Each structure stands twice: as C-alpha cells, then as structure tokens.
C-alpha cells in the first residue's frame, strides 16, 4: 500500500509554555525537536538570559546553546521577536499620538511575513532532512572568498648609485 500524503500539514506554532518549563528546569534540550529548541533558546536569549544560565536550565553545554542560537530558525525567531517588540512600541506610541496607524499596520505585516518565513523555513528544513540519508550539519558555515587585490604597475625605485659619469675619487 502506498504512503498517504496529507494535503495540508498544519503550520508549526511554538508551545508558549516551554519557556516557563525551561526556567523551572523541567526540560532537557535533547528531548525537544529542532524547531522548538531554536525557538526556546531565541526566546530565552531575547528575554536577556545569559548563555550559561540557559545551558544550566536546559542541562546542556554552553557550546550547544551557542550552536542552536546560530541555526536559521533561531535567527528568524530573534528577528521576529525584535519585530514584535517594535510593533508593541509603535502601538504604544500610536496611542500617545506619536506614530501613524499606517506604520503600525506596516509593522504588523512585517511580523506576519517573518512568521510565514519562519514556518516555510522549518518546513523546507524538515523536507530536506527527510530527503537526505545523512543528517544536516548543526550550523551553516558561510565562507567568503578572499578579496582580490588590485594589480598595481611595477613599482618605480630609485637606483642606489648614480649611473653614468666617472667613478668617485677616494
């Protein structure tokens, strides 16, 4: 029998109670799926908690927290949280008549765009992991090519001794 492929998979949404469970020490990072790991660490980082504190709460190494923080889902989540904070601040200023309602609408659109981008990225990463037999690396490494030096013409140097004429008398 062929595998049944669902027509629509529900969009991933974070569990809002993970943050409280992590702070209480009831979670292990290794027990969470990748998107939730990235989301949780982004939330805790955005709240101002240090890497060492997060590692203690999640019973993992400092390096693991740093690696998860570099994953695309975590980066997008931090951008989303920053956009949400900016939206909240803009709404607050709008109530104080400092910002136009149009800018609040623009910021709300940006938040929704980032949420959609994050959900799409999670779906694409999951699909790529399903297609590959080998696991994906834990982080993306970007190597920039070295800058090309501009070619200069041959350097002109002055001779150490004068050429031509008669030799010096000693």
């Amino acid at each position: 029998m062929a595998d049944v492929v669902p027509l629509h998979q529900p969009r991933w949404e974070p569990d809002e109670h993970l943050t409280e469970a992590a702070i209480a020490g009831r979670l292990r990072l290794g027990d969470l799926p990748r998107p939730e790991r990235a989301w949780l660490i982004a939330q805790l980082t955005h709240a101002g908690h240090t890497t060492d504190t997060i590692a203690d709460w999640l019973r993992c190494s400092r390096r693991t927290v740093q690696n998860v923080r570099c994953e695309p889902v975590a980066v997008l989540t931090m951008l989303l949280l920053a956009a949400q904070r900016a939206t909240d601040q803009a709404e607050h200023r709008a109530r104080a008549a400092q910002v136009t309602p149009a800018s609040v609408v623009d910021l709300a659109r940006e938040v929704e765009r980032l949420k959609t981008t994050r959900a799409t990225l999670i779906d694409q990463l999951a699909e790529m992991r399903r297609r590959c037999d080998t696991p994906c690396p834990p982080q993306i490494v970007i190597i920039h090519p070295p800058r090309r030096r501009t070619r200069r013409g041959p350097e002109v140097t002055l001779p150490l001794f004068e050429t031509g004429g008669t030799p010096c008398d000693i």
Side-chain angles (χ1 to χ4, degrees), residues 54-126:
I54 295 170
D56 287 342
W57 286 339
L58 298 176
R59 291 177 269 162
C60 64
S61 70
R62 199 170 184 271
R63 181 75 173 196
T64 301
V65 172
Q66 292 170 341
N67 284 337
V68 171
R69 196 179 281 151
C70 294
E71 289 183 8
V73 175
V75 172
L76 281 173
T77 300
M78 285 194 266
L79 289 172
L80 174 64
L81 291 170
Q84 283 178 334
R85 179 180 283 168
T87 301
D88 293 342
Q89 290 172 348
E91 286 175 352
H92 177 71
R93 286 190 303 248
R95 283 190 289 263
Q98 296 175 356
V99 175
T100 63
S103 64
V104 173
V105 170
D106 290 341
L107 287 171
R109 268 194 225 118
E110 178 68 8
V111 167
E112 286 304 313
R113 185 187 70 77
L114 287 170
K115 280 183 180 179
T116 304
T117 302
R118 180 184 62 187
T120 303
L121 177 66
I122 290 170
D123 293 342
Q124 288 173 352
L125 287 172

Side-chain angles (χ1 to χ4, degrees), residues 41-56:
I41 288 180
Q43 284 283 341
L44 293 172
T45 300
H46 186 73
H49 301 293
T50 65
T51 303
D52 292 327
T53 304
I54 295 170
D56 287 342

Side-chain angles (χ1 to χ4, degrees), residues 127-170:
E127 180 63 28
M128 289 176 71
R129 286 190 180 108
R130 279 193 291 270
R131 288 184 184 178
C132 295
D133 291 334
T134 58
C136 292
Q139 63 186 10
I140 297 173
V141 177
I142 299 173
I143 300 174
H144 295 283
R147 292 187 180 190
R148 288 188 169 188
R149 294 184 181 176
T150 57
R151 281 211 162 165
R152 290 186 249 168
E155 293 184 17
V156 177
T157 58
L158 298 174
L160 292 176
F161 304 100
E162 289 186 25
T163 56
T166 59
C168 299
D169 295 323
I170 300 182

